[in-house]
Structure formats: structure tokens, C-alpha cells
Amino acid sequence: DEFISSPPRKTVRFGGTLTEILLKYEKGDTTDFELLKHQLSDPDIKDAQIINWLHEFRASVVYLTKELEQLVNILLKLPWLRRSREVVEEYLGFLGNLVSAQTVHLRPCLRMIVSQFVPPRITIREDDVDISDSDDDDENISENFDTCHRALQTVARYVPSTPQFLMPILVEFFPFINKSERTLECYVHNLLRVTVYLPTLRLQILELIIEKLLKLDVSSPQQDIEDAEEAANNCASEEKSAEEGLFDMEEDEDRKGNKVVSPSIERMAHPLAERLDILMTILFSYIKDVCHVDGKLDISNTKDLYRDLVSVFDKLILPTHASCHVQYFMFYICSFKLGLAEAFLDHLWKKLQDPNNPSVIRQTAGSYIGSFLARAKFIPVVTVKACLDLLVNWLHKYIDNQDTGANAYCDVALHGPFYSTCQAVFYTLIFRHKQLLDGNLRKGLSYLQSLNFERIVMCQLNPLKICIPSVVNLFAAITRKYQLVFCYTIIERNNRQFIPVVRSGTGGDLVQTCTNPLDSFFPFDPYILKRSKKTIDPMYQFWEELSAEDLENLKKPIKKGTSEDEDDDFLKGETPQNDGVVEIAPNSYESNTRSPVSSIGSPADCYVPYPL
């Protein structure tokens, strides 16, 4: 039975042995050589034939010089991956022999292996238009990828310089961002697998992946994602209403309790956001797997990966304005250990205070500090206080140096890092003030008073004029409630000085006011990608809508001279007993134009009325 079922072995050979054919070719006789190429290119070539040829080629690699590059390319195109195990093993042996004897063929071998990092392409045509893409139905795709990595490791074992030749090829073969989700998912997953056995390439591969993720991120702004989701939800609701109207039967009612959740609920309506969501999920999984060994955090691995990710952050993320999601890889790895979060804050702090850095980088570092302190649940109050001390002391020294000189006036171009730091402090206070006051109101108020916000607010540089209005309004309400500083006089004066900007448009003149002269953003605004947000949400500080009672309480100042009992009553009545969730907070300035639905998790703007 085994004999009958086995494929027939090729016994008839044209032109003699392989060595004879190659020697004839060197002398100018190409007849047998052309026949050899034809046989190797036969789409119906059998496994036994491939094994026979590969066995001969392994014994004759010394003849496969640069002049026989065309023949080697045909060998590299052999369909070896989807063949029997014997063919795969013989081919891996051939690759090892080839690159060790003829390193001139290293690049073609690497290109052949990397080209297999995506699912095989199937040809589909619609109305004479080629819409071919990856074949998602290949059952052996995981096994094929394993074999590809074995091949790459085999080549790297024989040629130590493989990494330097491999990296440009990995860049070249990276699929375009409009390729299918499956194609991108497989390629990124395989790139990250390469970092496991070629660790010298990890930093470069992470840079490559995050650079591509950034392109996806900036090509799918948060507002566009929310609009696409809203449109998809409206469309689904209309379809559901139509179906219920047509098939409103009793048996349908009985089935409603056992509805199966549709896979589309997990999908993003925005196509680029869907790709980004899948790839961010892979990146988060990779970070977790590298940092944990047998379920426990490996400090050495984590530190090494953290250094690589910080390097990528500095090179790609920090100079990129208003990315929405990709920067969360730093948020995630910092959640593993407080020391990493503190190291990240220290890194940002050094960027902020270094006058040799470009102003825009210093401002962005300030935005990251404020947003990170506000949003990261895993950062304790003691760390928040330490950061506030650093930031506020720097602000006071800056005022000492600038508030009486020739540059002592409100100007973003001159004092951008100062205003960014002010906004980071205000934003942190909005989120964290209840935690700072929790446990002992008198001690907490004493700490906040020691920060001397009044001097910062009243200085000639006038930070309240430059910071985002939503941040200013909430900061003013909170500092008034605890009698730290009264901001409303300055806010009213600033409002009177605002000069509207008139711009001509097709629909007539439009009057605008610049509500964000810093052009700042909050890098850790709510994460809205459906799959990957499950990783972020447990460690993320959300806030709730302001109730009417909260608004009233914000307008009531705390009386001086409260007793300890009154302290306790205040704490019982107003300080949350959970993780210190703050009920209110602003989003980026663009959110003033958003609908309430689109700003879930981060309300657009909270206007606290000026006290009469």
C-alpha cells in the first residue's frame, strides 16, 4: 500500500548528472542547462523530483557562483513550503549549504524567506479589476510561518552577518497600510518573532513597526473614528428597526434572550482604525510576553525592552503631533512596575527642562507629563506630589528669571515650555486634587497652598490666557473652592482682550478666536480602539459627568478654620472611596465642537459659572 500510494520517483534524467550539466554550461553548451531550468520550473514537479534535485545541488553548491544567479533564483522559487516534510528538510539543508559556500546568494535567500511572512496571494478579479489579496483560508499558514523562521535561523547560523543584510529587506517587504488586516497582522507578528532569535535587530524592528503604526494613527484621527462608529451604529439601528418591523413574530421574541454577539461588534467601522486596533493588540501581547516569564515579571527583560521602547518614543512619537493611540505602548509597559513609570516621568522631565531641546519637544514633553500623571491609575499620590513639586519649583524659578526682564509679557513663542508646564500642573490638579486631599484635608490643603499657585497665575506671563479654556475653567473652580487662588478676575480680563480673527470663506466671513495658542493636546486622552482598549482600560483613569450637585459644590468655598469633625464630614461627603476617580475633566480643545456622544469618557468642556 505504501509503495502504491507513494509518488513515482523520476528515473529518467536528461543531460547526465548535475555536475556534468554545469560543466557543459561553463564550456558554452547550454542545451542541457536550459532543459534543467525547464524541469525545475515545471508547476507539476513532484516531491520526489524536488528531493532528488536538491540532493544533487547540495553536493554541487561549489559550482553555484554569481554567474549561475538565474538558476539559483529558479531554485529559490521552488514551491517547497507546502510540500512534504522530507522536501522541507531537504530544502533547509540546501539553503544552509548554499549560503555557507556562496554568500553572494545571501540576499536572494533572505528575500525569498521574508516574502513568505504574509499569507499566500490569491487572484481575484472583479469587472477586469485585480483585487487580489491574502488567502485567509490556508489551514497550514501557522506551520508555514514556523518553517520560514526555521529557514531564517538556519541561514543566520551559517552567516553571522545575516542581521545587517536582513533589516533592509524587512523594511522593503513591509505591506502597504491599505493591504488587508490579515496581511498586516501576519507580517507584524512575524517581524516580532524575528526579534526573539535575532535580538540585535529588536530596536530597528520596533522602530519599523511603530513607524507604520504611526502612519495608520495619524491617518485615522479620533474624530473620524468616532464619526465612522456613529454612522455604523445608526445604520445598524435602522437595519434592526426594519427587520423587527418585518418579522415581529412570537418566535422571534423567544429568541431574543439567546442572541449571539456579532463579530462585527468587535470591529472598528473605520478601516484604518481596524488595522491599527489589530496591530496594537499584537504589540501589547508582545510587550507582555517579553516582560513576563512563566507568568512572573522578569525585571531584566523588562528593563531592556523599556530602553528600546523609550528610544523609539524619543525618535518617532515625541516629534509627532496629536497621535491618538500608538503612544500607549509606553503607558502599558510603565504599568508593570512603578519604577518604570517613575523612570519615564524623569525622562520626560529632563526633556522638558533642557533648554537645548527644541521648544516644541519641550512643550510636548510637558503635555505627556500632565496627561500621564492624570490618567495612569498605577501612579500613586506620593509620585504625583513629587512630580508637582518638581514642576512647580521649575515654574517659580522661571518666573524669577523672566517676570521682570524685557521678555516679561505673554508670548507663546518666547515662553512655550513655561505655558506647557503650567497646563500640565493645572491638568494634574484637576484629576488628582481629591486624592491629594484624601485622608487629611488640613494637611492636603497645606500642601496645595505651599505650591503657591497665586504667584504663577498672577505673574506677567499670564498662563491663564494661553492654556486651554476648559482646563483653565476647571482649575479656577477647584482652586476657588479650596481658596488657593481666585482666577476669575484674570480670566475676565483675558476674555476682554481676546481679538477675534476674521477669515474669509466660501460661505462668507467667519469669526474665530484662537482657543489653543499652544497647539497642545493630551496624549493619553481616552483610548477608543475596541480590541486593544481591553488591555488599557483596567489601568486607565476615566471620569464621570458632573452632576448639578457637583457644580454647586465647586462654587461653594471651604470655610477657613474648619474643625477635625468638619474635615471628616467633608471627606465623607465629597471624597470618593474608590481609586480617586475625579468626576470632571477637559478633553483637547477640539472637543468643543464634538457632540456629547463622541466624547464618552472625556467630556468636551465643563463650564463652571463665575461666582457673582
Side-chain angles (χ1 to χ4, degrees):
D1 290 342
E2 186 179 345
F3 173 78
I4 293 171
S5 62
S6 62
R9 297 179 69 84
K10 183 168 181 175
T11 55
V12 181
R13 296 294 301 272
F14 301 99
T17 65
L18 177 64
T19 305
E20 291 171 353
I21 294 172
L22 297 179
L23 288 174
K24 284 182 183 178
Y25 177 75
E26 285 181 4
K27 295 175 181 176
D29 185 353
T30 61
T31 306
D32 292 339
F33 184 78
E34 292 300 324
L35 189 59
L36 169 64
K37 290 197 299 181
H38 178 73
Q39 291 179 35
L40 290 171
S41 304
D42 183 1
D44 298 321
I45 191 170
K46 301 292 189 294
D47 284 8
Q49 293 174 283
I50 294 178
I51 291 170
N52 284 341
W53 281 121
L54 289 176
H55 190 72
E56 287 198 51
F57 273 107
R58 289 181 68 177
S60 307
V61 287
V62 67
Y63 297 106
L64 299 179
T65 57
K66 176 70 173 173
E67 288 70 29
L68 294 178
E69 185 177 13
Q70 190 180 13
L71 178 61
V72 171
N73 286 337
I74 292 173
L75 288 168
L76 294 179
K77 289 177 183 176
L78 280 173
W80 63 282
L81 258 182
R82 292 157 191 84
R83 296 281 179 160
S84 66
R85 184 177 177 183
E86 291 77 12
V87 172
V88 169
E89 295 302 325
E90 192 69 30
Y91 197 87
L92 291 176
F94 163 70
L95 280 180
N97 288 9
L98 178 65
V99 295
S100 58
Q102 304 286 352
T103 52
V104 69
H105 299 304
L106 175 62
R107 277 195 184 92
C109 288
L110 294 176
R111 291 173 66 86
M112 179 274 295
I113 296 170
V114 173
S115 69
Q116 304 290 341
F117 276 4
V118 294
R121 186 179 174 87
I122 54 173
T123 304
I124 306 172
R125 298 188 71 84
E126 282 187 8
D127 300 328
D128 295 327
V129 177
D130 185 1
I131 58 168
S132 301
D133 210 332
S134 62
D135 179 6
D136 290 347
D137 298 325
D138 191 342
E139 295 177 358
N140 300 317
I141 191 167
S142 179
E143 186 180 337
N144 292 340
F145 289 153
D146 291 343
T147 306
C148 285
H149 289 287
R150 278 189 63 201
L152 194 52
Q153 290 176 72
T154 299
V155 172
R157 194 181 310 121
Y158 285 107
V159 186
S161 61
T162 293
Q164 70 186 74
F165 292 97
L166 176 62
M167 197 59 220
I169 294 169
L170 295 178
V171 174
E172 177 189 347
F173 276 83
F174 203 106
F176 293 114
I177 60 173
N178 60 347
K179 285 289 183 182
S180 74
E181 296 96 338
R182 184 64 173 156
T183 297
L184 287 163
E185 178 185 9
C186 290
Y187 194 79
V188 168
H189 189 271
N190 283 316
L191 285 190
L192 292 172
R193 282 187 67 177
V194 171
T195 67
V196 176
Y197 54 85
L198 293 178
T200 56
L201 287 181
R202 185 168 74 181
L203 177 58
Q204 292 171 268
I205 287 175
L206 286 172
E207 272 185 24
L208 172 61
I209 292 171
I210 290 170
E211 180 187 5
K212 301 297 182 181
L213 291 179
L214 264 179
K215 287 183 179 178
L216 282 169
D217 202 1
V218 298
S219 301
S220 49
Q222 192 161 340
Q223 187 63 54
D224 290 358
I225 296 174
E226 290 174 344
D227 290 346
E229 289 297 319
E230 187 176 357
N233 289 338
N234 291 340
C235 183
S237 299
E238 289 172 7
E239 289 177 3
K240 186 179 178 183
S241 300
E243 286 176 7
E244 286 178 354
L246 289 170
F247 306 105
D248 190 12
M249 301 178 183
E250 288 185 7
E251 58 260 35
D252 293 332
E253 292 296 325
D254 294 336
R255 294 193 198 108
K256 282 187 178 178
N258 300 316
K259 280 188 178 177
V260 179
V261 177
S262 169
S264 63
I265 293 175
E266 285 289 304
R267 288 185 64 86
M268 300 296 299
H270 194 292
L272 293 183
E274 170 68 7
R275 290 165 174 78
L276 181 62
D277 193 10
I278 292 170
L279 298 185
M280 287 300 293
T281 303
I282 293 172
L283 182 59
F284 288 153
S285 298
Y286 171 78
I287 292 171
K288 182 179 180 181
D289 289 347
V290 169
C291 295
H292 293 81
V293 177
D294 298 328
K296 294 182 180 179
L297 187 69
D298 185 291
I299 301 300
S300 178
N301 290 353
T302 304
K303 284 182 178 179
D304 290 343
L305 181 59
Y306 170 82
R307 291 188 192 100
D308 285 346
L309 291 177
V310 165
S311 176
V312 177
F313 176 84
D314 285 349
K315 184 174 181 179
L316 298 176
I317 304 294
L318 208 53
T320 303
H321 180 69
S323 58
C324 298
H325 299 99
V326 180
Q327 59 266 24
Y328 270 89
F329 68 79
M330 286 306 305
F331 193 96
Y332 183 52
I333 193 171
C334 287
S335 71
F336 293 162
K337 193 170 179 61
L338 178 59
L340 297 176
E342 291 176 342
F344 184 50
L345 286 165
D346 182 61
H347 180 75
L348 293 169
W349 162 242
K350 288 173 181 173
K351 294 276 183 190
L352 172 62
Q353 67 170 341
D354 186 357
N356 295 319
N357 285 327
S359 180
V360 65
I361 295 296
R362 298 174 67 190
Q363 289 173 219
T364 306
S367 296
Y368 270 93
I369 291 173
S371 198
F372 191 58
L373 287 174
R375 294 294 196 170
K377 271 187 181 180
F378 48 83
I379 297 181
V381 178
V382 63
T383 304
V384 174
K385 280 187 174 182
C387 291
L388 283 176
D389 288 339
L390 278 175
L391 296 171
V392 170
N393 286 339
W394 184 84
L395 290 175
H396 285 302
K397 287 179 182 177
Y398 193 93
I399 293 170
D400 290 340
N401 294 331
Q402 300 289 339
D403 207 33
T404 55
N407 295 330
Y409 57 91
C410 185
D411 189 331
V412 175
L414 282 175
H415 309 295
F418 171 81
Y419 295 123
S420 181
T421 306
C422 286
Q423 186 159 277
V425 170
F426 299 163
Y427 193 66
T428 303
L429 185 73
I430 289 166
F431 267 90
R432 297 283 194 160
H433 70 281
K434 289 193 175 182
Q435 285 177 292
L436 291 168
L437 297 168
D438 197 8
N440 189 323
L441 177 60
R442 186 166 290 165
K443 189 176 179 182
L445 283 175
S446 176
Y447 169 73
L448 291 179
Q449 288 164 359
S450 72
L451 297 178
N452 196 1
F453 286 126
E454 185 172 6
R455 182 169 185 251
I456 295 170
V457 167
M458 301 290 184
C459 74
Q460 295 296 315
L461 304 182
N462 195 359
L464 296 185
K465 186 175 183 179
I466 300 300
C467 294
I468 293 173
S470 53
V471 174
V472 170
N473 284 335
L474 286 163
F475 174 76
I478 291 165
T479 52
R480 175 185 177 275
K481 176 181 177 63
Y482 298 108
Q483 298 190 358
L484 299 172
V485 60
F486 191 82
C487 301
Y488 291 109
T489 307
I490 300 171
I491 293 173
E492 289 173 350
R493 186 184 68 207
N494 290 339
N495 288 341
R496 287 195 296 270
Q497 292 174 353
F498 260 123
I499 302 173
V501 179
V502 180
R503 297 186 179 179
S504 301
T506 53
D509 291 341
L510 178 67
V511 178
Q512 295 180 332
T513 54
C514 182
T515 56
N516 187 12
L518 264 180
D519 197 24
S520 57
F521 70 108
F522 300 111
F524 297 118
D525 264 358
Y527 192 98
I528 61 173
L529 302 178
K530 293 180 182 177
R531 294 181 190 84
S532 46
K533 80 190 296 286
K534 294 174 185 175
T535 303
I536 299 300
D537 281 359
M539 61 196 69
Y540 187 78
Q541 182 68 68
F542 290 95
W543 50 52
E544 300 169 0
E545 292 285 351
L546 259 184
S547 66
E549 184 182 354
D550 291 328
L551 283 169
E552 285 301 317
N553 286 334
L554 272 180
K555 291 189 281 183
K556 293 177 185 175
I558 299 298
K559 293 180 181 178
K560 291 183 179 179
T562 52
S563 66
E564 291 297 326
D565 292 338
E566 287 173 327
D567 288 352
D568 292 340
D569 290 340
F570 171 78
L571 290 169
K572 289 174 188 173
E574 298 194 24
T575 302
Q577 302 302 314
N578 52 15
D579 296 319
V581 175
V582 181
E583 289 87 344
I584 53 173
N587 197 350
S588 302
Y589 82 104
E590 294 91 341
S591 59
N592 291 319
T593 61
R594 296 180 185 174
S595 65
V597 177
S598 68
S599 300
I600 293 171
S602 188
D605 194 3
C606 174
Y607 174 71
V608 181
Y610 295 166
L612 297 174

